[in-house]
Structure formats: structure tokens, C-alpha cells
């Protein structure tokens, strides 16, 4: 993808750059480096963060933001570690009001705290009950922030349908065993079964609490894989997300032949690192469990967001033509296994690369609301010796990249307890919120107003 001639004197006038500087800047970079002030919305001795990037943190009015609060420590949470959830009044000095507590949480996604889509009163989070020995230990709680009234549902949720009526969940104890930091700790340390038929992805009626199994781990394990069967592996799923229409679900199926990397090393004498920690498959399915499709089987499929109802933008490697495999469909670029951001058409092998020159590394990508998917919000993991995380916007039609800031992450925030920026917008698409450790060496949340950039 060639860079378009979008760098103009008018675009850079606000930076006070001379003509020669414009040329120099254009040669150095493929983006317009804007510096936008970031305002902290939390502070204090405790650390605060929200978690993942694909959930509503801010209510429909734009006034109230949700957040998690916990003491500063660097280890996996135990069933005894309590997370506090709060409501932040963005129009009243960022006043924090506690709304609940949970001991079912992880560093990367918290307790799935979020506004119920379409509601200005109800929020939901996952919690724990009982002795923490099975997935039945976990529940979800819907709380009305105006009345304080709560409804306890008998199962936890991972993601919600856009109409706010249905949740989709998994076995969070299983997820924690295979992918620490994303599931919830239990006192049961036994190795889970490879691919059980009685549990998997389920749908949960948010009114009645009725649970229905959509897809079992056994079914997922049996999905045909031309590159080699993974049917006998240990399987788990995560990163569930429903499309805007509410009829299609994507998830990542990950598996490996041994339950842990340590067991693999013990049995084979080899170490698993990076992408080899597991086999990754991106799979889509109707929300009733029908029309199952292996969208991507390259082994590299990471962060993603729906682009409308029938396509996804994801950091991934495409499937390429290989000897013995069926030819790719028309419109698919052959011969490239480059990791990049692509738009994948659901239920097909068609895809196209996007933002090739400006979005060059993996990040947590979403589309800014009310921009017709023309603006992408994204970040990076810590880069270089200075461990700087970049936060930026990207305008797809003009190929314009606007850097909102670069934020240092101390080296002690690593592995399971790293603090990704996980940027997310308010529902109006006018402000960005993110988690960061660049001040005070603890997690806090920040706000950036992007309205002038988006509306320009």
C-alpha cells in the first residue's frame, strides 16, 4: 500500500513547520505527530484500571466511567484477592463511588465490568461464590447504579450482545489454567480434560439467567484443520466478541499437545516461546451454534474488532497457498505470510491488508464510534529500551496517523500483570480512555479529548 500525498502545508500549519520541515517530516514518518494532553481520571495509593478494549467503559451520556481498584502487587490474583469496582463522575472532579466488589478477576480483563449495552442505568461484572473449585463458583451481577438493586445470574459472562439481552461465557477456571491473566483463580489445581463435551461457549439470558450450551470444547477440537489435526490437544477458547447485528460470534480457539509449557519441555526437551505457546485458530459461528467456520488457520491471529457484520479487522497472518491445500479464493493475496492488520471477510478466505505503513505492530484496535469505521483507535506494546507504548488514531481513507501520546511502562509491569493501554472510546466517539503506568509506577486511567481531530 503506497502512502498517499496527504501531508500538506495546511495540515501542518498548526505545528509551525516551514516548507523544508514538512518535506523532512514526510520522509521520516507516515503520520502527523499531534500532542494531545492526557488527563488522569483516577489517582491515590491504590491502582485503577478498566481492562479490555472491546467493552463500554462510559455510559451513554458520557458522564460516568467505570473502573477497577486494587492494591499494588505483582503476582497472580488468588481467590482471596478482592477487586473493588467504582463509578467515576467525569463532571464532578472525577469523584469515585464504590459500586461493588469481586474476587473473580484477572489482570488483563478485570472482572468483565461494563455497561450493559443500551442502558444508562445497569452495569454488569463477574463475581465469585462458594469455595472456588469449579466454574459453578462464578456468577455475574447486574447492578442498577441509581437504585442499587442487584440481580445475580448463575453464570459469568465474557461478552454481551449489542442489544444487551444476552451474555456469552466460558469456563474461566479452565482459561486461567491455560492462559493465566485472563481467567479466574480457583483452589483446584488439577489438569483440565483435553476437550470436554459438557462445557464450552454458552449463552446466558440476562433476564432469566437461563444457560444454553452453544459450542462444546469437543466440537471445537473436531473442526477440520488442513495444516494438521489438533483434535487430541488440550483446548480452550477466549476473546469472544459478537458482531453488531448480534447474530454472529468470533472467538479464538487455542490448543497445545501438553497441558503446560513446562510439561512440554519435560517431555520433549524443547521450550515453547512466543507464538509456539499454542496453536491459534480464529473461528466464527452463529450465536445459536450453527454455521461454524474456521476463519483463519495461520496460527497467528491476535486482537480484532468487527468491521460491520460480515468482516473483521485483526492483527494476524493470512492463510497462504501451500502444497496440498485447496487454492485460495479470488481476491485473496497469495504468497504472503506477513503479520499485519487485515480486514477478513467472514465465511470466506478473502482478506486485504490495511494500514500497512502506519500500523506496523500488534495493538488493541477498535473503530471510533460514529465515524463509519474510517477512524481506528490503536496502541502498541512497550517498544525499545525505553519501553514506550504508543497511543494513536488512524484515518483509513487518508492514511493519516495521529499520535496521541507515548507512555513509559516500567519493566516490573510484565507478563501476566503487564499494563496494556487497552484504549477505548466513549459512546459518542469524542474521548479516549486508557490505562497506563507512566506516572507513579501504578495503574491509573486517563482521558484524551479527540473531538477536534475526528471532526476536522
Amino acid at each position: 500500500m503506497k502512502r498517499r500525498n496527504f501531508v500538506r502545508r495546511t495540515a501542518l500549519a498548526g505545528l509551525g513547520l516551514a516548507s523544508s520541515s514538512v518535506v523532512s517530516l514526510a520522509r521520516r514518518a507516515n503520520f502527523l505527530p499531534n500532542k494531545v494532553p492526557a488527563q488522569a481520571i483516577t489517582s491515590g495509593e491504590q491502582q485503577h484500571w478498566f481492562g479490555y478494549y472491546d467493552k463500554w467503559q462510559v455510559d451513554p451520556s458520557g458522564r460516568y466511567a467505570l473502573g477497577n481498584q486494587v492494591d499494588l502487587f505483582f503476582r497472580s490474583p488468588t481467590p482471596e484477592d478482592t477487586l473493588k469496582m467504582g463509578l467515576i463522575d467525569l463532571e464532578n472532579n472525577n469523584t469515585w463511588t464504590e459500586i461493588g466488589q469481586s474476587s473473580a478477576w484477572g489482570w488483563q480483563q478485570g472482572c468483565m465490568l461494563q455497561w450493559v449495552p443500551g442502558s444508562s442505568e445497569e452495569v454488569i461484572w463477574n463475581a465469585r461464590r462458594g469455595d472456588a473449585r469449579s466454574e459453578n463458583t462464578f456468577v455475574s451481577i447486574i447492578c442498577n447504579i441509581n437504585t442499587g438493586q442487584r440481580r445475580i445470574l448463575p453464570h459469568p459472562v465474557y461478552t454481551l450482545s449489542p442489544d444487551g439481552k444476552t451474555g456469552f461465557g466460558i469456563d474461566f477456571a479452565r482459561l486461567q489454567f491455560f492462559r493465566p491473566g485472563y481467567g479466574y483463580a480457583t483452589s483446584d489445581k488439577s489438569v483440565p480434560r483435553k476437550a470436554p463435551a459438557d462445557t464450552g461457549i454458552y449463552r446466558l439470558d440476562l433476564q432469566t439467567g437461563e444457560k444454553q450450551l452453544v459450542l462444546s470444547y469437543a466440537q471445537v477440537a473436531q473442526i477440520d484443520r488442513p495444516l494438521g489435526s489438533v483434535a487430541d490437544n488440550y483446548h480452550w477458547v477466549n476473546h469472544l466478541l459478537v458482531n453488531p447485528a448480534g447474530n454472529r460470534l468470533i472467538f479464538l480457539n487455542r490448543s497445545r499437545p501438553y497441558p503446560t509449557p513446562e510439561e512440554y519441555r519435560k517431555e520433549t526437551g524443547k521450550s515453547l516461546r512466543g507464538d509456539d505457546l499454542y496453536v491459534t485458530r480464529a473461528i466464527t459461528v452463529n450465536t445459536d451454534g450453527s454455521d461454524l467456520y474456521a476463519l483463519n488457520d495461520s496460527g497467528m491471529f491476535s486482537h480484532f474488532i468487527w468491521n460491520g457484520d460480515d468482516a473483521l479487522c485483526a492483527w494476524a497472518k493470512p492463510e497462504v497457498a501451500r502444497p496440498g491445500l485447496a487454492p485460495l479464493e479470488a481476491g485473496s493475496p497469495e504468497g504472503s505470510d506477513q503479520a499485519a492488520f487485515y480486514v477478513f471477510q467472514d465465511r470466506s478466505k478473502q482478506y486485504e491488508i490495511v494500514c500497512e505503513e502506519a500500523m506496523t505492530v500488534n495493538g488493541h484496535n477498535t473503530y471510533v464510534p460514529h465515524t463509519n469505521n474510517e477512524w481506528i483507535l490503536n496502541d502498541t506494546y512497550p517498544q525499545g529500551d525505553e519501553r514506550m507504548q504508543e497511543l494513536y488514531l488512524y484515518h483509513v481513507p487518508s492514511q493519516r496517523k495521529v499520535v496521541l501520546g507515548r507512555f513509559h511502562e516500567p519493566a516490573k509491569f510484565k507478563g501476566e500483570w503487564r499494563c496494556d493501554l487497552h484504549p477505548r472510546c466513549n459512546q459518542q466517539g469524542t474521548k479516549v480512555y486508557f490505562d497506563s503506568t507512566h506516572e507513579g509506577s501504578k495503574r491509573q486511567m486517563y482521558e484524551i479529548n479527540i473531538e477536534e481531530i475526528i471532526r476536522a
Side-chain angles (χ1 to χ4, degrees), residues 31-58:
F31 55 85
L32 177 65
N34 289 29
K35 291 185 178 180
V36 184
Q39 304 294 330
I41 65 170
T42 56
S43 61
E45 294 302 316
Q46 288 78 27
Q47 52 181 349
H48 303 86
W49 83 109
F50 179 68
Y52 233 43
Y53 62 99
D54 55 4
K55 301 172 181 3
W56 289 130
Q57 179 186 8
V58 183

Side-chain angles (χ1 to χ4, degrees), residues 140-185:
S140 52
I141 297 174
I142 295 179
C143 175
N144 187 303
I145 64 165
N146 293 328
T147 66
Q149 183 178 359
R150 297 185 179 190
R151 289 187 289 117
I152 299 178
L153 303 177
H155 305 282
V157 296
Y158 196 108
T159 192
L160 305 180
S161 62
D163 64 7
K165 295 180 179 180
T166 308
F168 294 85
I170 58 170
D171 182 341
F172 282 92
R174 182 184 187 89
L175 177 58
Q176 180 67 9
F177 180 92
F178 290 113
R179 191 75 165 102
Y182 291 85
Y184 308 145

Side-chain angles (χ1 to χ4, degrees), residues 193-218:
R193 293 172 289 166
K194 287 186 174 181
D198 57 353
T199 183
I201 299 173
Y202 57 83
R203 57 187 298 154
L204 184 70
D205 188 306
L206 297 186
Q207 291 298 319
T208 67
E210 181 181 356
K211 174 187 173 184
Q212 176 186 2
L213 187 63
V214 172
L215 195 65
S216 72
Y217 293 109

Side-chain angles (χ1 to χ4, degrees), residues 7 12 17-30:
V7 180
L12 295 175
L17 296 175
S19 172
S20 60
S21 297
V22 171
V23 174
S24 176
L25 176 62
R27 288 175 178 171
R28 287 200 312 270
N30 293 323

Side-chain angles (χ1 to χ4, degrees), residues 72 199 216 398 406:
L72 182 64
T199 183
S216 72
S398 68
R406 295 181 178 90

